[in-house]
Amino acid sequence: MAVQLLITDKDLAVQGDPLTGWRDLDATLRFNEPGSGSVTMTAYPEVMAQLQPGNRLVVIRDGQIWMAGPMEVPTDYTWSISDEGEPDPGRVVVNFADDLARLAGYITWPDPASAWTMQLGNTWRTINATNAETIIRTLVNETCGPGARAERQIAHLALDTVAGAGTTTSVSTRFEPLLDTCRRVALAGGGIGFRTRQDGSQLKFGCYAPADLTATARFSVGLGNLRSLSFKQSAPTSTHALVAGTEPDTGTTRTFVQVADATAAATWWRVEKYVDGSEADDTNGELTNAGTVEIADGAAPIELATVTVDTDDLKAGRDFGLGDKVTIALPTGLEATDLVRSIHLQADPDSGEYVSTLVGSPAATTDPQMVKLIRALSRRLGRLETR
């Protein structure tokens, strides 16, 4: 079995031997979102001793860290008399996330260098005409990284090596969830990725440019690396983003910007979406960026869920990763290419590993439509509340 589980404390120090008696590991990595997982274990005393609040779970696959992060539910314990009439140790289910979830607990402050009680109303944290990677690294550093106020710093969090990813963009943010802002910048600034990784005694946050692997990362029945798939393509929910902003000097004169996907409109039909950008004008392209994000969110979603099998030639995490563009050969003779949105690892010591990928546009998700709608409404209400 190529999978091992370790427990560390919040300082990344390993707490004991690799966990024994585990089964039903389920861990999902997500592009520009915190990953999550769960594992069921026999509740041996030496296992339970490690499942303490604040500790982390580390999933190691083939000698490399697959996912690592805080245990959000360290002990979900059940016990009963066994069928043989003898008590057993019971079982415990652990729910965990990757370390990006730590950053998800922060919001952006208009003036990150000042105390909370000194924040000014109607002010914004604005970064203009800067590389997207630089903006994201700056936001993370000043919010919860080594450059943040002492009380907001995440212990052992450091900035990773600069990747040189992304294009020039701008951002204005105020009391928004940090990762929501980072995703907005990443999408408007060239579709780059960001992630955390454990490197020795440090948690490193960095950005990267997803690769176009359509020629080499291919899945098909003929190649023997495709078990099953489901494919769905839907009409776009927006082809023309109509953005309305407010001039900051007067608060009344509005700037109107249109961002359109002419190809999608010609292929399907025109769908207009109103976007409230009242926090800024378009001097630095912020309204245009808001329209670009709306168009990307509303693009004709390709939802391609596949169950793949690792081979010597193509393996998840080694030959392709989150955000990379891959090719799926459908049994119908058509080929679909899009981004890897998530990689799902299921493992059991007896039955082995199963790896599945979700490929598609930003709207591609396994979430029900109602869940997606609630998330969208929550984002919009959040922006209204922080004005």
Side-chain angles (χ1 to χ4, degrees), residues 47-89:
V47 170
M48 298 299 291
Q50 297 185 51
L51 305 182
Q52 300 300 318
N55 283 356
R56 302 164 63 254
L57 190 143
V58 180
V59 179
I60 299 175
R61 183 183 184 227
D62 295 336
Q64 303 293 322
I65 295 179
W66 174 267
M67 180 187 294
M71 295 185 293
E72 297 179 313
V73 182
T75 52
D76 184 355
Y77 173 75
T78 57
W79 174 90
S80 65
I81 296 294
S82 66
D83 294 338
E84 291 77 19
E86 296 292 335
D88 60 30

mmCIF file of all heavy atoms in Angstrom, residues 47-89:
data_model
loop_
_atom_site.group_PDB
_atom_site.id
_atom_site.type_symbol
_atom_site.label_atom_id
_atom_site.label_comp_id
_atom_site.label_asym_id
_atom_site.label_seq_id
_atom_site.Cartn_x
_atom_site.Cartn_y
_atom_site.Cartn_z
ATOM 1 N N VAL A 47 -3.539 5.662 18.754
ATOM 2 C CA VAL A 47 -4.095 6.527 17.713
ATOM 3 C C VAL A 47 -4.843 7.689 18.352
ATOM 4 O O VAL A 47 -4.644 8.854 17.996
ATOM 5 C CB VAL A 47 -5.031 5.728 16.776
ATOM 6 C CG1 VAL A 47 -5.798 6.664 15.851
ATOM 7 C CG2 VAL A 47 -4.229 4.719 15.956
ATOM 8 N N MET A 48 -5.704 7.389 19.311
ATOM 9 C CA MET A 48 -6.512 8.420 19.951
ATOM 10 C C MET A 48 -5.639 9.467 20.639
ATOM 11 O O MET A 48 -5.999 10.642 20.712
ATOM 12 C CB MET A 48 -7.467 7.789 20.958
ATOM 13 C CG MET A 48 -8.469 6.824 20.362
ATOM 14 S SD MET A 48 -9.573 7.609 19.152
ATOM 15 C CE MET A 48 -10.549 8.665 20.227
ATOM 16 N N ALA A 49 -4.482 9.047 21.147
ATOM 17 C CA ALA A 49 -3.602 9.982 21.840
ATOM 18 C C ALA A 49 -3.086 11.081 20.915
ATOM 19 O O ALA A 49 -2.733 12.170 21.370
ATOM 20 C CB ALA A 49 -2.420 9.222 22.458
ATOM 21 N N GLN A 50 -3.048 10.775 19.615
ATOM 22 C CA GLN A 50 -2.533 11.764 18.659
ATOM 23 C C GLN A 50 -3.616 12.704 18.118
ATOM 24 O O GLN A 50 -3.307 13.758 17.562
ATOM 25 C CB GLN A 50 -1.875 11.050 17.473
ATOM 26 C CG GLN A 50 -0.675 10.213 17.844
ATOM 27 C CD GLN A 50 0.008 9.629 16.615
ATOM 28 O OE1 GLN A 50 0.322 10.337 15.667
ATOM 29 N NE2 GLN A 50 0.225 8.320 16.626
ATOM 30 N N LEU A 51 -4.882 12.318 18.292
ATOM 31 C CA LEU A 51 -5.975 13.096 17.704
ATOM 32 C C LEU A 51 -6.385 14.227 18.635
ATOM 33 O O LEU A 51 -7.469 14.226 19.231
ATOM 34 C CB LEU A 51 -7.164 12.175 17.400
ATOM 35 C CG LEU A 51 -6.858 10.967 16.508
ATOM 36 C CD1 LEU A 51 -8.132 10.166 16.253
ATOM 37 C CD2 LEU A 51 -6.214 11.402 15.201
ATOM 38 N N GLN A 52 -5.501 15.213 18.753
ATOM 39 C CA GLN A 52 -5.713 16.322 19.670
ATOM 40 C C GLN A 52 -6.085 17.595 18.899
ATOM 41 O O GLN A 52 -5.670 17.785 17.751
ATOM 42 C CB GLN A 52 -4.455 16.577 20.492
ATOM 43 C CG GLN A 52 -4.018 15.387 21.339
ATOM 44 C CD GLN A 52 -5.070 14.962 22.333
ATOM 45 O OE1 GLN A 52 -5.703 15.804 22.974
ATOM 46 N NE2 GLN A 52 -5.282 13.655 22.467
ATOM 47 N N PRO A 53 -6.881 18.490 19.518
ATOM 48 C CA PRO A 53 -7.220 19.763 18.869
ATOM 49 C C PRO A 53 -5.975 20.530 18.442
ATOM 50 O O PRO A 53 -4.995 20.607 19.200
ATOM 51 C CB PRO A 53 -7.993 20.514 19.957
ATOM 52 C CG PRO A 53 -8.560 19.438 20.825
ATOM 53 C CD PRO A 53 -7.535 18.342 20.828
ATOM 54 N N GLY A 54 -6.003 21.063 17.239
ATOM 55 C CA GLY A 54 -4.881 21.836 16.719
ATOM 56 C C GLY A 54 -3.890 21.022 15.919
ATOM 57 O O GLY A 54 -3.053 21.588 15.207
ATOM 58 N N ASN A 55 -3.965 19.680 16.034
ATOM 59 C CA ASN A 55 -3.044 18.844 15.278
ATOM 60 C C ASN A 55 -3.453 18.740 13.812
ATOM 61 O O ASN A 55 -4.575 19.077 13.430
ATOM 62 C CB ASN A 55 -2.937 17.449 15.904
ATOM 63 C CG ASN A 55 -2.078 17.444 17.150
ATOM 64 O OD1 ASN A 55 -1.491 18.474 17.506
ATOM 65 N ND2 ASN A 55 -1.998 16.307 17.824
ATOM 66 N N ARG A 56 -2.536 18.257 13.001
ATOM 67 C CA ARG A 56 -2.730 18.147 11.555
ATOM 68 C C ARG A 56 -2.619 16.695 11.123
ATOM 69 O O ARG A 56 -1.939 15.891 11.765
ATOM 70 C CB ARG A 56 -1.672 18.975 10.798
ATOM 71 C CG ARG A 56 -1.646 20.427 11.139
ATOM 72 C CD ARG A 56 -0.368 21.110 10.674
ATOM 73 N NE ARG A 56 -0.196 21.087 9.217
ATOM 74 C CZ ARG A 56 0.671 20.319 8.590
ATOM 75 N NH1 ARG A 56 1.444 19.473 9.266
ATOM 76 N NH2 ARG A 56 0.782 20.383 7.272
ATOM 77 N N LEU A 57 -3.266 16.361 10.013
ATOM 78 C CA LEU A 57 -3.150 15.042 9.414
ATOM 79 C C LEU A 57 -2.406 15.170 8.097
ATOM 80 O O LEU A 57 -2.709 16.065 7.289
ATOM 81 C CB LEU A 57 -4.521 14.403 9.204
ATOM 82 C CG LEU A 57 -4.497 12.914 8.807
ATOM 83 C CD1 LEU A 57 -5.647 12.170 9.466
ATOM 84 C CD2 LEU A 57 -4.557 12.730 7.294
ATOM 85 N N VAL A 58 -1.450 14.293 7.861
ATOM 86 C CA VAL A 58 -0.631 14.319 6.653
ATOM 87 C C VAL A 58 -0.852 13.025 5.884
ATOM 88 O O VAL A 58 -0.673 11.928 6.431
ATOM 89 C CB VAL A 58 0.866 14.474 6.994
ATOM 90 C CG1 VAL A 58 1.709 14.508 5.717
ATOM 91 C CG2 VAL A 58 1.095 15.738 7.823
ATOM 92 N N VAL A 59 -1.276 13.141 4.642
ATOM 93 C CA VAL A 59 -1.467 11.990 3.758
ATOM 94 C C VAL A 59 -0.249 11.902 2.843
ATOM 95 O O VAL A 59 0.042 12.827 2.090
ATOM 96 C CB VAL A 59 -2.745 12.123 2.913
ATOM 97 C CG1 VAL A 59 -2.903 10.917 1.989
ATOM 98 C CG2 VAL A 59 -3.969 12.269 3.813
ATOM 99 N N ILE A 60 0.465 10.801 2.937
ATOM 100 C CA ILE A 60 1.660 10.582 2.118
ATOM 101 C C ILE A 60 1.349 9.486 1.106
ATOM 102 O O ILE A 60 0.911 8.388 1.467
ATOM 103 C CB ILE A 60 2.865 10.183 2.985
ATOM 104 C CG1 ILE A 60 3.190 11.309 3.973
ATOM 105 C CG2 ILE A 60 4.082 9.865 2.118
ATOM 106 C CD1 ILE A 60 4.279 10.961 4.960
ATOM 107 N N ARG A 61 1.570 9.801 -0.162
ATOM 108 C CA ARG A 61 1.325 8.843 -1.244
ATOM 109 C C ARG A 61 2.607 8.684 -2.054
ATOM 110 O O ARG A 61 3.147 9.662 -2.559
ATOM 111 C CB ARG A 61 0.185 9.329 -2.137
ATOM 112 C CG ARG A 61 -0.188 8.354 -3.250
ATOM 113 C CD ARG A 61 -1.276 8.948 -4.121
ATOM 114 N NE ARG A 61 -1.720 8.015 -5.138
ATOM 115 C CZ ARG A 61 -1.883 8.327 -6.424
ATOM 116 N NH1 ARG A 61 -1.639 9.565 -6.845
ATOM 117 N NH2 ARG A 61 -2.297 7.420 -7.291
ATOM 118 N N ASP A 62 3.077 7.469 -2.158
ATOM 119 C CA ASP A 62 4.309 7.179 -2.902
ATOM 120 C C ASP A 62 5.481 8.038 -2.429
ATOM 121 O O ASP A 62 6.269 8.554 -3.227
ATOM 122 C CB ASP A 62 4.090 7.373 -4.404
ATOM 123 C CG ASP A 62 3.091 6.382 -4.979
ATOM 124 O OD1 ASP A 62 2.932 5.306 -4.379
ATOM 125 O OD2 ASP A 62 2.488 6.696 -6.017
ATOM 126 N N GLY A 63 5.555 8.220 -1.116
ATOM 127 C CA GLY A 63 6.679 8.943 -0.552
ATOM 128 C C GLY A 63 6.581 10.450 -0.609
ATOM 129 O O GLY A 63 7.478 11.146 -0.116
ATOM 130 N N GLN A 64 5.499 10.999 -1.180
ATOM 131 C CA GLN A 64 5.306 12.436 -1.292
ATOM 132 C C GLN A 64 4.037 12.850 -0.556
ATOM 133 O O GLN A 64 3.074 12.084 -0.496
ATOM 134 C CB GLN A 64 5.198 12.859 -2.768
ATOM 135 C CG GLN A 64 6.386 12.469 -3.621
ATOM 136 C CD GLN A 64 7.659 13.203 -3.232
ATOM 137 O OE1 GLN A 64 7.608 14.384 -2.887
ATOM 138 N NE2 GLN A 64 8.789 12.520 -3.287
ATOM 139 N N ILE A 65 4.040 14.057 0.002
ATOM 140 C CA ILE A 65 2.846 14.550 0.687
ATOM 141 C C ILE A 65 1.755 14.839 -0.339
ATOM 142 O O ILE A 65 1.932 15.667 -1.235
ATOM 143 C CB ILE A 65 3.159 15.816 1.501
ATOM 144 C CG1 ILE A 65 4.125 15.491 2.638
ATOM 145 C CG2 ILE A 65 1.871 16.412 2.079
ATOM 146 C CD1 ILE A 65 4.524 16.685 3.480
ATOM 147 N N TRP A 66 0.630 14.152 -0.212
ATOM 148 C CA TRP A 66 -0.508 14.342 -1.110
ATOM 149 C C TRP A 66 -1.390 15.480 -0.605
ATOM 150 O O TRP A 66 -1.813 16.336 -1.360
ATOM 151 C CB TRP A 66 -1.308 13.046 -1.205
ATOM 152 C CG TRP A 66 -2.589 13.147 -1.978
ATOM 153 C CD1 TRP A 66 -3.821 13.412 -1.474
ATOM 154 C CD2 TRP A 66 -2.757 12.996 -3.389
ATOM 155 N NE1 TRP A 66 -4.761 13.434 -2.480
ATOM 156 C CE2 TRP A 66 -4.126 13.179 -3.671
ATOM 157 C CE3 TRP A 66 -1.890 12.721 -4.436
ATOM 158 C CZ2 TRP A 66 -4.647 13.097 -4.957
ATOM 159 C CZ3 TRP A 66 -2.405 12.631 -5.719
ATOM 160 C CH2 TRP A 66 -3.755 12.824 -5.972
ATOM 161 N N MET A 67 -1.648 15.462 0.682
ATOM 162 C CA MET A 67 -2.446 16.510 1.321
ATOM 163 C C MET A 67 -2.044 16.578 2.781
ATOM 164 O O MET A 67 -1.751 15.563 3.399
ATOM 165 C CB MET A 67 -3.943 16.224 1.198
ATOM 166 C CG MET A 67 -4.838 17.282 1.859
ATOM 167 S SD MET A 67 -6.598 16.822 1.892
ATOM 168 C CE MET A 67 -6.975 16.823 0.143
ATOM 169 N N ALA A 68 -2.025 17.787 3.323
ATOM 170 C CA ALA A 68 -1.708 17.954 4.734
ATOM 171 C C ALA A 68 -2.421 19.190 5.253
ATOM 172 O O ALA A 68 -2.474 20.213 4.573
ATOM 173 C CB ALA A 68 -0.195 18.092 4.937
ATOM 174 N N GLY A 69 -2.974 19.071 6.456
ATOM 175 C CA GLY A 69 -3.642 20.230 7.020
ATOM 176 C C GLY A 69 -4.355 19.916 8.318
ATOM 177 O O GLY A 69 -4.294 18.788 8.836
ATOM 178 N N PRO A 70 -5.045 20.904 8.872
ATOM 179 C CA PRO A 70 -5.648 20.769 10.197
ATOM 180 C C PRO A 70 -6.796 19.773 10.230
ATOM 181 O O PRO A 70 -7.552 19.637 9.271
ATOM 182 C CB PRO A 70 -6.146 22.198 10.498
ATOM 183 C CG PRO A 70 -6.371 22.805 9.147
ATOM 184 C CD PRO A 70 -5.301 22.237 8.270
ATOM 185 N N MET A 71 -6.924 19.098 11.353
ATOM 186 C CA MET A 71 -8.068 18.211 11.581
ATOM 187 C C MET A 71 -9.230 19.071 12.087
ATOM 188 O O MET A 71 -9.194 19.580 13.208
ATOM 189 C CB MET A 71 -7.711 17.118 12.589
ATOM 190 C CG MET A 71 -6.647 16.162 12.095
ATOM 191 S SD MET A 71 -6.330 14.790 13.232
ATOM 192 C CE MET A 71 -5.605 15.662 14.629
ATOM 193 N N GLU A 72 -10.234 19.240 11.261
ATOM 194 C CA GLU A 72 -11.375 20.077 11.641
ATOM 195 C C GLU A 72 -12.299 19.353 12.617
ATOM 196 O O GLU A 72 -12.932 19.974 13.470
ATOM 197 C CB GLU A 72 -12.134 20.506 10.384
ATOM 198 C CG GLU A 72 -11.292 21.367 9.451
ATOM 199 C CD GLU A 72 -12.027 21.765 8.201
ATOM 200 O OE1 GLU A 72 -12.650 20.901 7.568
ATOM 201 O OE2 GLU A 72 -11.963 22.952 7.832
ATOM 202 N N VAL A 73 -12.416 18.040 12.469
ATOM 203 C CA VAL A 73 -13.130 17.198 13.443
ATOM 204 C C VAL A 73 -12.166 16.077 13.806
ATOM 205 O O VAL A 73 -12.126 15.027 13.151
ATOM 206 C CB VAL A 73 -14.440 16.627 12.856
ATOM 207 C CG1 VAL A 73 -15.170 15.791 13.916
ATOM 208 C CG2 VAL A 73 -15.342 17.728 12.346
ATOM 209 N N PRO A 74 -11.350 16.280 14.856
ATOM 210 C CA PRO A 74 -10.324 15.282 15.158
ATOM 211 C C PRO A 74 -10.860 13.977 15.735
ATOM 212 O O PRO A 74 -10.209 12.938 15.613
ATOM 213 C CB PRO A 74 -9.422 15.997 16.165
ATOM 214 C CG PRO A 74 -10.269 17.058 16.769
ATOM 215 C CD PRO A 74 -11.228 17.477 15.708
ATOM 216 N N THR A 75 -12.009 14.002 16.370
ATOM 217 C CA THR A 75 -12.551 12.765 16.957
ATOM 218 C C THR A 75 -14.061 12.716 16.799
ATOM 219 O O THR A 75 -14.787 13.452 17.467
ATOM 220 C CB THR A 75 -12.195 12.650 18.454
ATOM 221 O OG1 THR A 75 -12.581 13.854 19.133
ATOM 222 C CG2 THR A 75 -10.720 12.414 18.653
ATOM 223 N N ASP A 76 -14.515 11.849 15.914
ATOM 224 C CA ASP A 76 -15.925 11.486 15.814
ATOM 225 C C ASP A 76 -15.972 9.997 16.146
ATOM 226 O O ASP A 76 -15.852 9.132 15.274
ATOM 227 C CB ASP A 76 -16.441 11.772 14.400
ATOM 228 C CG ASP A 76 -17.931 11.511 14.267
ATOM 229 O OD1 ASP A 76 -18.542 11.018 15.234
ATOM 230 O OD2 ASP A 76 -18.477 11.782 13.180
ATOM 231 N N TYR A 77 -16.139 9.707 17.437
ATOM 232 C CA TYR A 77 -15.901 8.360 17.975
ATOM 233 C C TYR A 77 -17.203 7.624 18.230
ATOM 234 O O TYR A 77 -18.180 8.199 18.723
ATOM 235 C CB TYR A 77 -15.105 8.482 19.279
ATOM 236 C CG TYR A 77 -14.931 7.192 20.039
ATOM 237 C CD1 TYR A 77 -14.034 6.221 19.597
ATOM 238 C CD2 TYR A 77 -15.652 6.960 21.208
ATOM 239 C CE1 TYR A 77 -13.870 5.043 20.302
ATOM 240 C CE2 TYR A 77 -15.482 5.778 21.917
ATOM 241 C CZ TYR A 77 -14.589 4.820 21.453
ATOM 242 O OH TYR A 77 -14.427 3.660 22.144
ATOM 243 N N THR A 78 -17.218 6.328 17.878
ATOM 244 C CA THR A 78 -18.365 5.461 18.188
ATOM 245 C C THR A 78 -17.840 4.130 18.716
ATOM 246 O O THR A 78 -16.748 3.677 18.343
ATOM 247 C CB THR A 78 -19.248 5.216 16.954
ATOM 248 O OG1 THR A 78 -18.451 4.642 15.906
ATOM 249 C CG2 THR A 78 -19.883 6.499 16.458
ATOM 250 N N TRP A 79 -18.642 3.506 19.576
ATOM 251 C CA TRP A 79 -18.266 2.222 20.180
ATOM 252 C C TRP A 79 -19.521 1.416 20.456
ATOM 253 O O TRP A 79 -20.586 1.959 20.762
ATOM 254 C CB TRP A 79 -17.519 2.464 21.487
ATOM 255 C CG TRP A 79 -17.211 1.219 22.273
ATOM 256 C CD1 TRP A 79 -16.092 0.456 22.177
ATOM 257 C CD2 TRP A 79 -18.041 0.606 23.255
ATOM 258 N NE1 TRP A 79 -16.154 -0.611 23.037
ATOM 259 C CE2 TRP A 79 -17.355 -0.540 23.719
ATOM 260 C CE3 TRP A 79 -19.304 0.893 23.786
ATOM 261 C CZ2 TRP A 79 -17.885 -1.390 24.685
ATOM 262 C CZ3 TRP A 79 -19.831 0.056 24.750
ATOM 263 C CH2 TRP A 79 -19.112 -1.074 25.198
ATOM 264 N N SER A 80 -19.390 0.095 20.324
ATOM 265 C CA SER A 80 -20.490 -0.800 20.684
ATOM 266 C C SER A 80 -19.917 -2.172 20.986
ATOM 267 O O SER A 80 -18.779 -2.493 20.617
ATOM 268 C CB SER A 80 -21.513 -0.898 19.556
ATOM 269 O OG SER A 80 -20.924 -1.511 18.415
ATOM 270 N N ILE A 81 -20.702 -3.000 21.674
ATOM 271 C CA ILE A 81 -20.292 -4.375 21.934
ATOM 272 C C ILE A 81 -20.224 -5.109 20.602
ATOM 273 O O ILE A 81 -21.138 -5.035 19.781
ATOM 274 C CB ILE A 81 -21.279 -5.067 22.878
ATOM 275 C CG1 ILE A 81 -21.275 -4.378 24.245
ATOM 276 C CG2 ILE A 81 -20.936 -6.549 23.005
ATOM 277 C CD1 ILE A 81 -19.964 -4.521 24.986
ATOM 278 N N SER A 82 -19.141 -5.837 20.381
ATOM 279 C CA SER A 82 -18.978 -6.551 19.115
ATOM 280 C C SER A 82 -19.923 -7.733 19.047
ATOM 281 O O SER A 82 -20.516 -8.156 20.038
ATOM 282 C CB SER A 82 -17.535 -7.025 18.962
ATOM 283 O OG SER A 82 -17.248 -8.008 19.950
ATOM 284 N N ASP A 83 -20.063 -8.298 17.844
ATOM 285 C CA ASP A 83 -20.959 -9.436 17.644
ATOM 286 C C ASP A 83 -20.539 -10.631 18.482
ATOM 287 O O ASP A 83 -21.355 -11.477 18.847
ATOM 288 C CB ASP A 83 -20.981 -9.823 16.162
ATOM 289 C CG ASP A 83 -21.600 -8.736 15.303
ATOM 290 O OD1 ASP A 83 -22.369 -7.922 15.849
ATOM 291 O OD2 ASP A 83 -21.315 -8.735 14.090
ATOM 292 N N GLU A 84 -19.240 -10.724 18.779
ATOM 293 C CA GLU A 84 -18.758 -11.863 19.563
ATOM 294 C C GLU A 84 -18.960 -11.659 21.064
ATOM 295 O O GLU A 84 -18.613 -12.515 21.869
ATOM 296 C CB GLU A 84 -17.263 -12.091 19.293
ATOM 297 C CG GLU A 84 -16.958 -12.597 17.893
ATOM 298 C CD GLU A 84 -17.042 -11.501 16.859
ATOM 299 O OE1 GLU A 84 -16.973 -10.306 17.250
ATOM 300 O OE2 GLU A 84 -17.197 -11.802 15.670
ATOM 301 N N GLY A 85 -19.524 -10.509 21.447
ATOM 302 C CA GLY A 85 -19.775 -10.259 22.849
ATOM 303 C C GLY A 85 -18.611 -9.644 23.579
ATOM 304 O O GLY A 85 -18.670 -9.460 24.794
ATOM 305 N N GLU A 86 -17.534 -9.373 22.880
ATOM 306 C CA GLU A 86 -16.372 -8.760 23.496
ATOM 307 C C GLU A 86 -16.272 -7.293 23.065
ATOM 308 O O GLU A 86 -16.506 -6.970 21.895
ATOM 309 C CB GLU A 86 -15.097 -9.495 23.061
ATOM 310 C CG GLU A 86 -15.029 -10.940 23.525
ATOM 311 C CD GLU A 86 -14.884 -11.049 25.026
ATOM 312 O OE1 GLU A 86 -14.375 -10.093 25.644
ATOM 313 O OE2 GLU A 86 -15.288 -12.092 25.579
ATOM 314 N N PRO A 87 -15.938 -6.389 23.972
ATOM 315 C CA PRO A 87 -15.794 -4.985 23.580
ATOM 316 C C PRO A 87 -14.570 -4.803 22.685
ATOM 317 O O PRO A 87 -13.559 -5.487 22.843
ATOM 318 C CB PRO A 87 -15.620 -4.261 24.915
ATOM 319 C CG PRO A 87 -15.073 -5.300 25.831
ATOM 320 C CD PRO A 87 -15.678 -6.603 25.402
ATOM 321 N N ASP A 88 -14.678 -3.913 21.716
ATOM 322 C CA ASP A 88 -13.523 -3.587 20.884
ATOM 323 C C ASP A 88 -13.185 -2.113 21.117
ATOM 324 O O ASP A 88 -13.901 -1.401 21.819
ATOM 325 C CB ASP A 88 -13.800 -3.888 19.405
ATOM 326 C CG ASP A 88 -14.970 -3.093 18.853
ATOM 327 O OD1 ASP A 88 -15.209 -1.963 19.331
ATOM 328 O OD2 ASP A 88 -15.643 -3.570 17.923
ATOM 329 N N PRO A 89 -12.090 -1.611 20.533
ATOM 330 C CA PRO A 89 -11.725 -0.218 20.793
ATOM 331 C C PRO A 89 -12.690 0.793 20.188
ATOM 332 O O PRO A 89 -12.597 1.977 20.492
ATOM 333 C CB PRO A 89 -10.338 -0.100 20.136
ATOM 334 C CG PRO A 89 -9.863 -1.498 19.939
ATOM 335 C CD PRO A 89 -11.089 -2.310 19.741
#
